[in-house]
Amino acid sequence: MPNQLIVALDVPNLDQARRTLDQLADTVRWFKVGLQLFTAAGPAVVRAVRARGARVFLDLKFHDIPNTVAGAAQSAAALGVEMFNVHASGGEAMMRAAAEAAARMGADRPLVIAVTILTSQTASEADVLSLARAAKTSGLDGVVCSAREAVTLRRELGADFKLVCPGIRPAWSETGDQKRIITPREAVQAGADYLVVGRPILASPSPAAAARRVLDEMHGG
Ligand code: C5P
């Protein structure tokens, strides 16, 4: 599969999520549902995305004892999301429990992605790499990472390990609070499989046009 755009559905409620989906669902195939929207709207928002034929990355960053995370993973898989994530710092037993719960869905199983170290915390590349290695050993499919880390992670973890990269800013957009930004084209060249983009698309006067512009840049236009 070529690299994919995931639009972060960072809106506060189901009505706004529906309006955004109305604008974008013809253009964008993946949406990220995070803590704010899921806490407000719950599984209904996942169903709203799926009803428009798009895929869901459920970004709830599970982190608990293995048994509890296995249960959450099973619930996520049963909702029909195509990707969810867990904190690698929860440990290998926890990550393995999440991967096994997802695998029980068979061929339609969701991808299970690790968060290594939050970008709000300071981390060395060695720490990120060691957590990413633990994720791979535990049977996870990939990690969330900065596109700046993608070249190293790709080299160390192989071609099949999925790299999900936020912090993307097209040259024409506002940078906002993202500090170490990279353009869509640069992220693809660095080896990102999935580009997570929020405000450059959501805050644009024409979200669909902004999304098309990002996709063009990703795919060499
Ligand atoms: O609006 P923006 O493009 O910055 O949105 C990026 C999305 O990716 C947000 O939902 C943010 O929470 C998420 N994210 C991030 N940096 C990380 C991990 C996740 O920006 N390291």
Side-chain angles (χ1 to χ4, degrees):
M1 204 170 23
N3 29 68
Q4 301 272 317
L5 170 64
I6 304 179
V7 170
L9 217 40
D10 289 332
V11 295
N13 56 50
L14 188 57
D15 279 351
Q16 284 201 38
R18 287 214 167 97
R19 276 200 289 279
T20 304
L21 288 168
D22 287 342
Q23 293 171 314
L24 289 174
D26 288 341
T27 311
V28 175
R29 310 232 292 266
W30 282 86
F31 291 90
K32 180 171 86 68
V33 175
L35 286 167
Q36 181 187 14
L37 182 58
F38 195 79
T39 301
V45 73
V46 174
R47 289 193 281 269
V49 176
R50 289 172 49 77
R52 286 166 169 84
R55 300 175 170 209
V56 177
F57 168 21
L58 190 63
D59 177 22
L60 301 182
K61 302 184 181 69
F62 299 142
H63 187 173
D64 210 312
I65 58 170
N67 188 58
T68 299
V69 167
Q74 192 180 335
S75 296
L79 261 183
V81 308
E82 281 81 7
M83 181 187 289
F84 67 88
N85 57 5
V86 303
H87 271 286
S89 57
E92 294 196 18
M94 188 208 79
M95 288 193 277
R96 203 166 282 121
E100 284 167 5
R104 277 184 227 115
M105 296 298 288
D108 289 335
R109 76 173 181 87
L111 295 170
V112 189
I113 301 295
V115 173
T116 57
I117 297 174
L118 295 171
T119 39
S120 50
Q121 301 176 311
T122 38
S124 70
E125 194 176 78
D127 292 337
V128 170
L129 188 54
S130 123
L131 285 164
R133 279 213 181 90
K136 186 175 178 184
T137 309
S138 308
L140 264 59
D141 298 291
V143 288
V144 178
C145 66
S146 151
R148 293 183 190 280
E149 298 159 347
V151 172
T152 305
L153 289 170
R154 175 67 66 223
R155 186 178 64 230
E156 298 294 326
L157 296 165
D160 293 336
F161 201 63
K162 306 291 184 222
L163 303 178
V164 180
C165 301
I168 309 287
R169 286 293 175 272
W172 40 267
S173 71
E174 300 281 327
T175 54
D177 57 3
Q178 294 283 12
K179 291 196 177 67
R180 304 178 63 229
I181 51 157
I182 192 162
T183 67
R185 173 66 72 81
E186 288 166 338
V188 168
Q189 284 168 348
D193 294 294
Y194 297 89
L195 277 60
V196 179
V197 183
R199 288 161 289 180
I201 291 173
L202 298 191
S204 159
S206 171
R212 277 194 294 274
R213 213 166 153 184
V214 170
L215 285 163
D216 282 348
E217 286 183 28
M218 286 171 63
H219 299 137

